């Protein structure tokens, strides 16, 4: 589900199954709205999710949605917050538990691909596909999130150069850009194939070139 602190483990970052029909306890409706939005986004033929369709799936009125979110943009911001907390919580775990900076970079790449595979609907948010025709600030926020991921990878590669694990001629910024571009490419292929080509497919050769 979309927990309050989703960054405990990689497995905990997966979104929930379908929303139940029981009457929610106070404060649970907001979470259910985000859960259903994520579920609708992961349907292979899903296009733009409307508040009318979202309300119908939840069997509530559109007015009920707006009691919890001022706009649909705020609903997407809720999903983006979940993604941010999940990914950077996991990145912090990786860097705390793994001393080798190249292994850190490898683990971060694997985590990013695994998160997408467990959360197809959120992959569409990460690549901006679900944000077309939505408020511009949402794409700005995703761009900022990707910049932070790239900065984390850049720090790993800089550490590898500093410790003599990579030649001094290597450019940490270029390596980080290549690794993130690879991840985004895998995310896009996953979404554009209707979630059939999983992000973690045939990784070993590519990873040896990216993070070795």
């Amino acid at each position: 589900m979309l927990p309050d602190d989703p960054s405990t483990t990689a497995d905990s970052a997966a979104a929930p199954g379908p929303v139940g029909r029981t009457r929610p306890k106070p404060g649970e409706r907001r979470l259910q709205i985000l859960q259903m939005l994520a579920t609708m986004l992961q349907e292979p033929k899903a296009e733009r999710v409307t508040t009318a369709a979202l309300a119908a799936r939840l069997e509530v009125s559109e007015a009920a949605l707006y009691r919890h979110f001022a706009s649909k943009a705020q609903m997407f911001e809720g999903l983006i917050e979940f993604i941010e907390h999940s990914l950077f919580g996991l990145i912090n775990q990786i860097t705390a538990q793994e001393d080798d900076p190249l292994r850190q970079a490898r683990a971060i790449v694997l985590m990013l691909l695994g998160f997408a595979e467990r959360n197809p609907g959120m992959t569409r948010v990460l690549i901006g596909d679900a944000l077309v025709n939505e408020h511009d600030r949402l794409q700005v926020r995703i761009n900022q999130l990707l910049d932070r991921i790239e900065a984390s990878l850049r720090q790993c590669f800089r550490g590898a150069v500093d410790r003599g694990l990579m030649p001094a001629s290597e450019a940490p910024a270029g390596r980080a850009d290549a690794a993130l571009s690879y991840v985004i490419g895998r995310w896009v292929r996953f979404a554009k194939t209707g979630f059939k080509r999983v992000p973690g497919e045939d990784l070993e050769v590519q990873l040896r070139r990216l993070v070795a």
Side-chain angles (χ1 to χ4, degrees):
M1 61 185 300
L2 292 168
D4 293 332
D5 181 9
S7 61
T8 51
T9 66
D11 289 339
S12 72
V19 175
R21 293 176 180 268
T22 57
R23 183 177 179 85
K25 297 177 182 178
E28 287 186 347
R29 179 62 79 189
R30 181 184 174 91
L31 181 59
Q32 289 188 346
I33 292 168
L34 296 179
Q35 290 172 335
M36 183 57 74
L37 177 58
T39 297
M40 293 177 72
L41 287 173
Q42 73 185 35
E43 295 170 358
K45 295 184 179 180
E47 295 181 356
R48 189 167 184 254
V49 176
T50 65
T51 53
L54 180 59
R57 291 284 287 269
L58 286 164
E59 300 183 345
V60 300
S61 67
E62 287 186 75
L65 300 182
Y66 291 117
R67 284 198 289 270
H68 301 277
F69 295 93
S71 64
K72 188 167 66 165
Q74 279 196 359
M75 299 177 200
F76 276 106
E77 284 177 328
L79 289 184
I80 294 171
E81 286 174 6
F82 169 80
I83 293 169
E84 287 176 334
H85 293 161
S86 297
L87 297 185
F88 291 106
L90 294 169
I91 287 172
N92 289 339
Q93 284 187 26
I94 289 167
T95 56
Q97 295 171 4
E98 177 56 67
D99 181 61
D100 186 311
L102 286 178
R103 290 184 179 179
Q104 289 176 359
R106 177 188 174 91
I108 290 170
V109 168
L110 289 172
M111 179 275 293
L112 294 170
L113 298 175
F115 178 86
E117 187 170 343
R118 287 186 294 275
N119 298 280
M122 294 184 195
T123 304
R124 293 189 60 214
V125 176
L126 280 164
I127 66 172
D129 181 53
L131 305 180
V132 175
N133 298 321
E134 303 296 344
H135 199 288
D136 290 346
R137 75 173 184 268
L138 299 172
Q139 187 60 60
V140 169
R141 187 160 178 181
I142 285 295
N143 292 344
Q144 292 171 341
L145 183 155
L146 296 176
D147 286 345
R148 288 179 62 196
I149 293 173
E150 186 173 354
S152 296
L153 289 166
R154 186 164 56 248
Q155 185 174 359
C156 295
F157 290 121
R158 185 177 294 116
V161 170
D162 292 343
R163 292 174 57 174
L165 301 174
M166 281 172 43
S169 59
E170 288 281 358
R175 291 292 292 269
D177 176 74
L180 182 59
S181 296
Y182 172 78
V183 168
I184 294 173
R186 287 276 172 145
W187 287 345
V188 170
R189 187 181 69 175
F190 182 45
K192 297 303 182 183
T193 59
F195 310 119
K196 294 178 182 178
R197 295 289 299 275
V198 296
E201 184 179 83
D202 300 326
L203 282 176
E204 288 306 313
V205 173
Q206 293 93 333
L207 282 179
R208 283 197 296 271
R209 295 184 179 185
L210 282 169
V211 298

